[in-house]
Amino acid sequence: MKKFFRRYTPNPSELKNHKNLGWLGKHLHNASLWNFNRKSISKAFAVGLFCAFVPVPFQMLLAAPAAVVFSANLPISVALVWITNPLTMPPIFYGCYKLGAWILSVGIEQDFIMSLDYVWQVFDIIWQPFLLGCLIISVMSSALGYFGIQIIYRYKAYKRVNQF
């Protein structure tokens, strides 16, 4: 799997001088942003999964600086936000809304329609449960991703050691 990611990962030396990247360009020489090790990939899963469930457009613009701040693998952090893409976003965010409404004991809109116009009409009613659900799912998926990668790496190391 490392070979697959390394094959499609851009060369950091080519990116750090790119003028369109702004302030991010000067941080791209940091080796931890490009490493494929347990620490870097676990942090990348935490960052990417957290940003994936933040209900804003262009979540990659949140994941990239967060990967720099937390020294996470940049390509994986940015790629993971695509869990919520235009096809999966409506059902995922509806699930977040339902979770938030259940926790807040708020009645769920019975006539809920999956359209942007409808959401804007009832936004004053649904914003609190929606944002609470998104926050809970972001934190939980981030923690599960981080610890899940840690466990997978340790399990593989254990299997390698006990194989001989």
Side-chain angles (χ1 to χ4, degrees):
M1 188 129 118
K2 284 184 183 181
K3 289 179 185 178
F4 172 79
F5 284 122
R6 283 192 181 130
R7 185 180 318 142
Y8 294 106
T9 300
N11 187 349
S13 62
E14 294 173 5
L15 290 176
K16 72 178 178 183
N17 295 325
H18 202 282
K19 291 176 178 48
N20 292 339
L21 295 174
W23 69 271
L24 192 60
K26 65 182 176 185
H27 295 287
L28 293 178
H29 66 279
N30 184 352
S32 64
L33 296 178
W34 306 99
N35 284 341
F36 289 96
N37 57 31
R38 179 175 52 92
K39 265 174 92 170
S40 183
I41 292 176
S42 328
K43 289 178 188 179
F45 267 75
V47 167
L49 290 173
F50 184 87
C51 292
F53 298 102
V54 174
V56 296
F58 308 110
Q59 297 152 322
M60 292 185 301
L61 297 178
L62 291 176
V68 170
V69 169
F70 293 109
S71 298
N73 183 286
L74 181 66
I76 293 175
S77 297
V78 170
L80 279 170
V81 301
W82 281 97
I83 288 172
T84 51
N85 57 58
L87 294 175
T88 62
M89 214 177 267
I92 287 174
F93 284 156
Y94 181 67
C96 290
Y97 164 66
K98 285 182 74 169
L99 174 66
W102 177 70
I103 289 173
L104 292 175
S105 298
V106 175
I108 297 173
E109 286 289 313
Q110 297 301 321
D111 301 331
F112 196 87
I113 302 168
M114 290 279 190
S115 77
L116 203 51
D117 290 335
Y118 179 76
V119 169
W120 284 120
Q121 289 174 2
V122 296
F123 190 74
D124 59 330
I125 299 169
I126 66 169
W127 74 271
Q128 289 175 329
F130 173 62
L131 291 180
L132 177 64
C134 287
L135 178 65
I136 290 169
I137 296 296
S138 288
V139 170
M140 286 177 51
S141 65
S142 179
L144 283 172
Y146 179 83
F147 291 115
I149 295 299
Q150 292 280 334
I151 290 168
I152 290 169
Y153 260 85
R154 289 172 194 228
Y155 175 75
K156 287 190 175 233
Y158 174 78
K159 291 294 264 185
R160 248 188 333 265
V161 168
N162 287 334
Q163 187 176 18
F164 299 108

